[in-house]
C-alpha cells in the first residue's frame, strides 16, 4: 500500500509547520511583554518610551487606552485625527461639491441662458475660484488650494473660449488662440508668483508659453524657416527659465519643453539644410542650426553633468550640420558623407576651447557620432563586396563572369558609382584611428581637459579599440576598392588574396607580440576575407585552385608562426586573476587553432576540386577526400601536446564525415570509405591519449563496413561470414577477462556479439520464415540469461535488446490484428490509465529506475 504523501515529504512539511508555529509563539510573547510594560505604571515617566525588541515591525508605542478590543492586535493604537486634518478633509469635500454643483448648473441650465449670461456665470465662477486659494493658504489648507487652482486653470481656458465667441467671434481662431495662450501664460505666471506656495500655476504658465509663437506662425501661413525660428526662440526662453527659474517643478518643466521644442526646430532646420540644392539656400537653415548650437551650449554651461554632456552633443551635431550643409550643397549625397566627416573631425579641435568639461565631452561624443554615421553610410558596399561572392555557389566553374568583378558580385555599374565615396570614408577614418593608435599618449595629453576622471586608467583599452578599428576599417576600405574601380575578375581575385595575406601578416605580427584587439581583429578580418575570396574564386577552375592553394599556404604559415609563439605569448601575459587568466589562455589556444583548421578546410576544397577535375562522381571522389583526414592523423601525431592538435584532428574527422556523405549513394563505395576511415581511426588509436575514443570508433567503423559489404553483395545468410569472426573474438575476450577481471564486458565481448547479432536481426526482420527468428531469439535469450547470471552488462543489454526486437517482429502481425479489432477509444483510454498509474506511483517508479541504473552500473 502506497503512503501518500511519502514519509520524507510529510516529515519536511511537519518541520516547516513547527518552525512557523515557533516563530508565531515568539512574536506573541514579545507582544505580550510590551503590553505588560505599558499597563504597568512606570516609577518615573521617561522622555520617550523604550522600544521593544521587535518594535520596528509594529511601530513606536502611542498613548494607551484600556485593551477593550482586539481591533489592532499587532500594533499600538492609532493616533487620533487632529483638528487641522479634519478641517482639511471637510473643506476639500466642500470644494469638490461646489465644483460639481457649478458644473451641473452650467451643463443643465446653459441652454436657458444667452451667450452673455453664460459668460457672466463662467466669469463669476472663475473669479471666485481664483480668490479661494489665497484664503485657503492663509488657513493652512494647501491641498485644497491646489485643487481649486487647478479648477481655476481649466475655467480660465473656458473663459478664453467664451470671450472669443462673445467679444470677437469674427477673429481668426488660430490667431486668437495664440493671443489667448500668451495672455494665459502671463496670468498664470503672475498668479503663481503672487501665490508662491502654489506649485501648479507656474508650470502651467511655462507649458502655455510654448504655443503663442507656433500658433502665430501657423496663423500667418509662414514657411518652414519661420516655424524653425519660432521653435528655437521658444526653446531659448525655456532654457532661460530652466537656468534661472524659481522652483524645481518650474525648472524641470522648462527643461523638458526646451528639449522638445528645440529638437523639433533643429529637425526642421536639418531637413532644409540637407535638401538645399545650392549654398545660398543652405545659409538660412545653417544659421538656424548655429543658433540652436548656441542655445545648447549656453544651457549646458550651468546644467548638471549629464544634461551638460547632452547639450554639448547637440551643439556639436548642430555645428557639423550647419557648416557641412553649406559645403555640400549641390553635391550628390554619396559625396556629402565625406564633407560631414571632415566637419566632424575638425570639431575635435574644440577640445582645447575654454569650455566646461562635460560640454567638451559632449563635443567629443558629437564628433564620434558623426564618424560612426559616416562609417555606417559606407557599410553597404562592403556588405555587397563580401556577400555578393556567395552568388558563385550556384554556378561553380561556369567560367569567368562578364563585366569583371562587378558581374561576379551581381551588382551593376550605376549602383557602384552611387557608392563611390565609401572607400574614401573608410580609409580616412582608418587613417585617423591608426594615427590615434600610434600617437595615443600625445592624444591623451591634448584631450586632457575633456577626459573624465579615471579615463587615463582606461587608456590601454581605448588605444586597443582605436587600433582594432583602424585595422577593420582599413581592410573594409581596401576590400571594396576593386569593385569600385571595376577591375577584371582575375585582378579582383589577386587583390583579395593579397589583402588576405596582408591582414594575416598583421594578425600574426600583433598576436606574437601581445594578445590585444589589433591582432584579434586582423585575424577575424582575414577569416572573413578568406571565405569571401574563396567563394569568389569558384567561378573558374583555375581561380579555384590558385585561390585555395594560396589560402592553404597563408593559413598554414599563420598556424606555424602562431604555434611557435605559443610559449612566449603565454609567458608575456600579465599577471591576472584566475578566471581572467583562464580566459586569456583559452583565447590564445583558439587563436592558434583557427588558422590550422582553416588550412584543413582549404585542403578539403582542393581534394573535392581534384575529384571534379578528374571527372569522378561524388561517391567515386570520396576516397580522394580521405586524403585530408589521413594528413591530419599524421599532423596530430606530429603536433602532440600542442593546443592546435585536437582541433586539427577534429576538422579532419569532419572531412571524413564529408567523404561518408559523398559515398552514401553507393553501398560498395560506402563500405570501402568506412573501412578506410576505420584504418585511420585505428592509426589514431595507436597513440595512448586518443585510444579510448579512437579504438571504439575504429571497431565500429570496421563492423559497419563489414555489414555494408555483406548487404551490398546480396548475402542472405550473414551468419556464415560473421560467426567465424564472432567465435575468435569471444575467445580473445575471454582470455582478456581472465588476465584482467576488471576489464569491461563491452571491451571483451561487445564487438564479437554485435558482429553477428545485429546483421542477423536485420536479416530476420526481412525473413518471411520462422526458423531464423526462432534461432536468433533462442541465442539472444541464452546470451541475456548468461549476462544476468554472470553480471556482464554487454551480454545482458545486447541480448535483451535483440530478444525484444525479435519478439516484436514475431508478434507485430497479431498486435496489428488485435488493435484493428479493438474500439478506437480503447487505446487512448488504456494509455490514460497507464499514465495515471505511473503518475500515482511516480516516486516508487523513480526509485525503481534508480535501483535498475545502479544495478547495471555495478555490472562489468
Amino acid at each position: 500500500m502506497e503512503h501518500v504523501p511519502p514519509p520524507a515529504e510529510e516529515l519536511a512539511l511537519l518541520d516547516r509547520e513547527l518552525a512557523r508555529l515557533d516563530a508565531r509563539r515568539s512574536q506573541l510573547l514579545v507582544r505580550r511583554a510590551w503590553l505588560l510594560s505599558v499597563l504597568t505604571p512606570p516609577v518615573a515617566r521617561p522622555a520617550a518610551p523604550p522600544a521593544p525588541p521587535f518594535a520596528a515591525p509594529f511601530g513606536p508605542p502611542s498613548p494607551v487606552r484600556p485593551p477593550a478590543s482586539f481591533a489592532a492586535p499587532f500594533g499600538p493604537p492609532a493616533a487620533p485625527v487632529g483638528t487641522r486634518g479634519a478641517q482639511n478633509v471637510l473643506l476639500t469635500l466642500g470644494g469638490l461639491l461646489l465644483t460639481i454643483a457649478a458644473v451641473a448648473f452650467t451643463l443643465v441650465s446653459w441652454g436657458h441662458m444667452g451667450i452673455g449670461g453664460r459668460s457672466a456665470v463662467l466669469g463669476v465662477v472663475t473669479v471666485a475660484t481664483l480668490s479661494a486659494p489665497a484664503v485657503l493658504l492663509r488657513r493652512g489648507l494647501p491641498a485644497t488650494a491646489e485643487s481649486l487652482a487647478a479648477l481655476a486653470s481649466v475655467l480660465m481656458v473656458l473663459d478664453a473660449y467664451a470671450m472669443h465667441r462673445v467679444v470677437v467671434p469674427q477673429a481668426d481662431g488660430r490667431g486668437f488662440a495664440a493671443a489667448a495662450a500668451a495672455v494665459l501664460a502671463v496670468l498664470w505666471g503672475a498668479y503663481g508668483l503672487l501665490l508662491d506656495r502654489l506649485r501648479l500655476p507656474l508650470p502651467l504658465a511655462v507649458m502655455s508659453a510654448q504655443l503663442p509663437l507656433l500658433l502665430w506662425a501657423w496663423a500667418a501661413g509662414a514657411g518652414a524657416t519661420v516655424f524653425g525660428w519660432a521653435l528655437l526662440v521658444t526653446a531659448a526662453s525655456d532654457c532661460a527659465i530652466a537656468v534661472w527659474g524659481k522652483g524645481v517643478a518650474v525648472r524641470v518643466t522648462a527643461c523638458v519643453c526646451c528639449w522638445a521644442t528645440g529638437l523639433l526646430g533643429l529637425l526642421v532646420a536639418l531637413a532644409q539644410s540637407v535638401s538645399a540644392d545650392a549654398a545660398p539656400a543652405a545659409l538660412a537653415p545653417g544659421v538656424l542650426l548655429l543658433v540652436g548650437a548656441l542655445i545648447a551650449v549656453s544651457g549646458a554651461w550651468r546644467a548638471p553633468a549629464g544634461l551638460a554632456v547632452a547639450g554639448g552633443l547637440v551643439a556639436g551635431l548642430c555645428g557639423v550640420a550647419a557648416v557641412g550643409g553649406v559645403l555640400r550643397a549641390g553635391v550628390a549625397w554619396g559625396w556629402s558623407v565625406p564633407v560631414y566627416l571632415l566637419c566632424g573631425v575638425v570639431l575635435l579641435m574644440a577640445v582645447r576651447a575654454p569650455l566646461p568639461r562635460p560640454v567638451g565631452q559632449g563635443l567629443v561624443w558629437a564628433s564620434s557620432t558623426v564618424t560612426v554615421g559616416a562609417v555606417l553610410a559606407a557599410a553597404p558596399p562592403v556588405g555587397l563586396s563580401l556577400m555578393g561572392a556567395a552568388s558563385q555557389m550556384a554556378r561553380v566553374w561556369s567560367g569567368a563572369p562578364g563585366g569583371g568583378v562587378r558581374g561576379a558580385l551581381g551588382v551593376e555599374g550605376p549602383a557602384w558609382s552611387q557608392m563611390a565615396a565609401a572607400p574614401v570614408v573608410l580609409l580616412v577614418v582608418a587613417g585617423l584611428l591608426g594615427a590615434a593608435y600610434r600617437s595615443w599618449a600625445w592624444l591623451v595629453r591634448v584631450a586632457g581637459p575633456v577626459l573624465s576622471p579615471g579615463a587615463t586608467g582606461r587608456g590601454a583599452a581605448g588605444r586597443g579599440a582605436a587600433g582594432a578599428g583602424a585595422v577593420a576599417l582599413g581592410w573594409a576600405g581596401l576590400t571594396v576598392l576593386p569593385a569600385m574601380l571595376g577591375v577584371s575578375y582575375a585582378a579582383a581575385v589577386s587583390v583579395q588574396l593579397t589583402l588576405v595575406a596582408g591582414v594575416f601578416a598583421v594578425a600574426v605580427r600583433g598576436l606574437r607580440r601581445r594578445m590585444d584587439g589589433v591582432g584579434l581583429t586582423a585575424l577575424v578580418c582575414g577569416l572573413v576575407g578568406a571565405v569571401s575570396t574563396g567563394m569568389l574564386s569558384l567561378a573558374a577552375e583555375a581561380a579555384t585552385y590558385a585561390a585555395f592553394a594560396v589560402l592553404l599556404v597563408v593559413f598554414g604559415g599563420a598556424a606555424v608562426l602562431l604555434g611557435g609563439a605559443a610559449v612566449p605569448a603565454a609567458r608575456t601575459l600579465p599577471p591576472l586573476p584566475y578566471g581572467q587568466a583562464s580566459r586569456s589562455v583559452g583565447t590564445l589556444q583558439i587563436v592558434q587553432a583557427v588558422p590550422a583548421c582553416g588550412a584543413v578546410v582549404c585542403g578539403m576544397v582542393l581534394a573535392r576540386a581534384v575529384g571534379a577535375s578528374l571527372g569522378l562522381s561524388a561517391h567515386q571522389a570520396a576516397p580522394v577526400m580521405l586524403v585530408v583526414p589521413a594528413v591530419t592523423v599524421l599532423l596530430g601525431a606530429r603536433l602532440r601536446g600542442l593546443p592546435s592538435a585536437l582541433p586539427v584532428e577534429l576538422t579532419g574527422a569532419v572531412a571524413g564525415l564529408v567523404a561518408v556523405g559523398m559515398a552514401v549513394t553507393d553501398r560498395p563505395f560506402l563500405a570501402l570509405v568506412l573501412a578506410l576511415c576505420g584504418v585511420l581511426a585505428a592509426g589514431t588509436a595507436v597513440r595512448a591519449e586518443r585510444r579510448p575514443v579512437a579504438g571504439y570508433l575504429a571497431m565500429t567503423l570496421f563492423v559497419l563496413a563489414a555489414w555494408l559489404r555483406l548487404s551490398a553483395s546480396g548475402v542472405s545468410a550473414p551468419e556464415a561470414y560473421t560467426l567465424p569472426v564472432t567465435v575468435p573474438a569471444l575467445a580473445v575476450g575471454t582470455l582478456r577477462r581472465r588476465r584482467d577481471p576488471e576489464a569491461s564486458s563491452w571491451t571483451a565481448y561487445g564487438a564479437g556479439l554485435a558482429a553477428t547479432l545485429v546483421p542477423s536481426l536485420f536479416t530476420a526482420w526481412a525473413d518471411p520464415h520462422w526458423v531464423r527468428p526462432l534461432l536468433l531469439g533462442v541465442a539472444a535469450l541464452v546470451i541475456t540469461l548468461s549476462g544476468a547470471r554472470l553480471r556482464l552488462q554487454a551480454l545482458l543489454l545486447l541480448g535483451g535488446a535483440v530478444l525484444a526486437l525479435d519478439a516484436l517482429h514475431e508478434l507485430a502481425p497479431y498486435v496489428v490484428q488485435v488493435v484493428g479489432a479493438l474500439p478506437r477509444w480503447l487505446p487512448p483510454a488504456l494509455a490514460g490509465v497507464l499514465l495515471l498509474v505511473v503518475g500515482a506511483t511516480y516516486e516508487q517508479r523513480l526509485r525503481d529506475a534508480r535501483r535498475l541504473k545502479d544495478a547495471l552500473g555495478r555490472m562489468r
Side-chain angles (χ1 to χ4, degrees):
M1 180 177 178
E2 294 291 338
H3 191 286
V4 181
E9 184 177 351
E10 185 177 1
L11 180 61
L13 291 174
L14 291 176
D15 289 340
R16 287 197 294 269
E17 187 68 19
L18 289 173
R20 191 182 67 80
L21 291 175
D22 290 340
R24 180 64 172 166
R25 184 173 183 276
S26 301
Q27 187 180 15
L28 293 175
L29 288 174
V30 170
R31 184 61 180 169
R32 180 178 181 276
W34 180 78
L35 291 174
L36 288 175
S37 65
V38 170
L39 292 174
T40 303
V43 179
R45 187 176 183 84
F54 288 83
F58 305 136
S62 59
V64 179
R65 291 177 292 184
S69 66
F70 295 93
F74 302 114
V81 180
T83 307
R84 182 67 66 183
Q87 186 180 10
N88 284 336
V89 172
L90 293 175
L91 286 176
T92 302
L93 291 176
L96 290 177
L97 290 175
L98 283 176
T99 303
I100 295 172
V103 172
F105 171 76
T106 303
L107 293 177
V108 175
S109 303
W110 193 262
H112 303 289
M113 302 174 63
I115 189 65
R118 303 173 190 177
S119 302
V121 170
L122 276 177
V124 171
V125 173
T126 303
V127 172
T129 310
L130 286 172
S131 303
V135 179
L136 295 174
L137 288 174
R138 284 198 299 270
R139 292 179 173 272
L141 302 173
T144 309
E146 290 285 354
S147 302
L148 291 180
L151 177 61
S153 303
V154 177
L155 292 176
M156 289 175 72
V157 176
L158 295 178
D159 286 334
Y161 174 73
M163 184 177 294
H164 176 258
R165 296 295 303 272
V166 175
V167 181
V168 283
Q170 71 281 0
D172 179 55
R174 293 170 293 184
F176 184 84
V183 172
L184 287 176
V186 173
L187 292 178
W188 280 332
Y191 188 68
L193 293 175
L194 183 63
L195 301 178
D196 54 356
R197 294 175 60 187
L198 294 177
R199 292 174 294 180
L200 186 61
L202 288 179
L204 282 178
V206 173
M207 295 178 65
S208 179
Q210 312 304 308
L211 300 177
L213 293 179
L214 283 178
L215 293 176
W216 277 327
W218 186 21
T225 304
V226 177
F227 269 98
W229 279 109
L231 288 167
L232 284 184
V233 171
T234 304
S237 62
D238 293 334
C239 182
I241 296 173
V243 173
W244 292 291
K246 180 182 179 182
V248 177
V250 176
R251 292 188 176 187
V252 171
T253 305
C255 184
V256 173
C257 293
C258 177
W259 279 101
T261 56
L263 290 179
L264 186 58
L266 292 176
L267 287 177
V268 172
L270 180 62
Q272 286 188 301
S273 177
V274 170
S275 60
D277 54 357
L283 285 176
V287 173
L288 196 58
L289 288 168
L290 290 177
V291 171
L294 182 61
I295 295 172
V297 170
S298 61
W301 205 281
R302 296 184 56 183
L307 289 177
V309 172
L313 172 63
V314 172
L317 293 177
C318 289
V320 171
V323 179
V326 175
L327 295 179
R328 61 139 305 267
V331 180
W333 175 249
W335 286 102
S336 300
V337 177
V339 176
Y340 286 110
L341 175 63
L342 178 62
C343 296
V345 173
V346 173
L347 182 63
L348 287 176
M349 297 175 61
V351 297
R352 304 299 297 175
L355 295 172
R357 184 190 297 270
V359 178
Q361 291 174 0
L363 295 178
V364 173
W365 277 108
S367 178
S368 303
T369 303
V370 173
T371 305
V372 171
V375 170
L376 292 178
V382 181
L384 291 177
S385 298
L386 293 175
M387 301 304 298
S391 60
Q392 299 304 319
M393 300 287 291
R395 46 179 187 272
V396 178
W397 290 4
S398 59
V405 66
R406 293 181 177 179
L409 297 176
V411 182
E412 299 299 330
W416 289 107
S417 62
Q418 295 174 5
M419 300 180 290
V424 178
V425 172
L426 294 172
L427 294 176
V428 167
V429 177
L432 293 173
L433 292 176
Y437 177 76
R438 296 299 298 270
S439 307
W440 187 258
W442 174 83
L443 184 63
V444 170
R445 248 187 346 265
V446 171
V450 299
L451 289 178
S452 59
T456 321
R458 299 190 295 268
R463 184 173 184 268
V471 171
L473 295 179
W475 166 79
L478 294 176
T479 297
V480 78
L481 199 56
M484 288 298 177
L485 298 177
V487 300
S488 63
Y489 172 75
V493 174
S494 303
V495 170
Q496 297 291 356
L497 287 174
T498 305
L499 183 59
V500 170
V503 173
F504 266 101
V506 174
V508 170
R509 183 172 181 269
L511 293 174
R512 284 176 66 89
R513 289 183 174 182
R514 55 168 33 180
M515 188 68 59
D516 61 355
V518 176
L520 293 176
T521 304
L523 181 63
V524 173
C525 292
L527 292 174
V528 176
V531 173
S532 177
T533 306
M535 291 189 296
L536 185 64
S537 67
L538 295 177
E541 183 176 0
T544 302
Y545 279 108
F548 280 96
V550 171
L551 292 176
L552 177 61
V553 173
V554 170
F555 279 118
V560 171
L561 293 175
L562 290 177
V567 176
R571 288 176 180 172
T572 55
L573 285 174
L576 298 171
Y578 176 74
Q580 192 172 355
S582 302
R583 289 194 297 270
S584 299
V585 174
T587 304
L588 181 63
Q589 294 175 354
I590 293 174
V591 165
Q592 295 166 6
V594 165
C597 297
V600 176
V601 173
C602 292
M604 293 169 58
V605 176
L606 288 174
R608 184 66 186 94
V610 169
S613 297
L614 295 176
L616 302 177
S617 59
H619 66 275
Q620 292 172 338
V624 180
M625 181 63 69
L626 291 179
V627 174
V628 178
V631 174
T632 58
V633 168
L634 298 176
L635 283 176
R638 177 68 179 81
L639 301 174
R640 181 181 302 182
L642 293 179
S644 57
L646 181 59
V648 166
E649 293 181 77
L650 292 178
T651 310
V654 172
L657 288 177
V658 173
V660 171
M662 293 169 60
V664 75
T665 57
D666 189 274
R667 283 187 293 175
F669 264 96
L670 181 58
L672 174 63
V673 170
L674 288 175
L676 293 176
C677 291
V679 172
L680 295 176
T684 305
V686 172
R687 294 153 51 195
E689 69 274 11
R690 301 286 187 260
R691 188 171 301 149
V693 176
Y696 285 109
L697 180 61
M699 177 190 68
T700 304
L701 290 172
F702 282 135
V703 172
L704 288 176
W707 292 345
L708 279 172
R709 184 66 261 181
L710 293 176
S711 174
S713 301
V715 174
S716 59
E719 294 82 3
Y721 299 90
T722 57
L723 283 176
V725 177
T726 296
V727 173
L730 293 178
V732 172
T734 304
L735 294 176
R736 170 70 186 277
R737 289 272 299 172
R738 286 181 179 177
R739 293 182 179 180
D740 183 13
E742 297 298 323
S744 171
S745 62
W746 290 99
T747 304
Y749 309 117
L753 291 174
T756 295
L757 288 178
V758 176
S760 298
L761 180 62
F762 279 104
T763 307
W765 269 69
D767 193 344
H769 304 290
W770 58 272
V771 178
R772 184 187 301 277
L774 177 62
L775 295 176
L776 179 63
V778 171
L781 178 61
V782 171
I783 293 172
T784 303
L785 295 177
S786 301
R789 175 68 179 82
L790 301 175
R791 302 182 63 80
L792 297 177
Q793 190 180 104
L795 276 67
L796 178 64
L797 294 182
L798 278 175
V802 172
L803 180 62
L805 293 174
D806 186 63
L808 177 63
H809 171 263
E810 294 302 309
L811 296 176
Y814 305 102
V815 173
V816 171
Q817 292 178 2
V818 171
V819 171
L822 292 175
R824 293 188 177 183
W825 56 267
L826 189 58
L830 293 176
V833 171
L834 177 63
L835 291 176
L836 288 176
V837 172
V838 172
T841 61
Y842 176 74
E843 294 292 337
Q844 182 62 35
R845 303 288 79 77
L846 195 60
R847 287 193 290 270
D848 294 342
R850 290 197 184 102
R851 284 197 295 269
L852 178 60
K853 177 177 175 291
D854 295 339
L856 288 175
R858 287 192 295 269
M859 292 183 177
R860 298 303 304 169

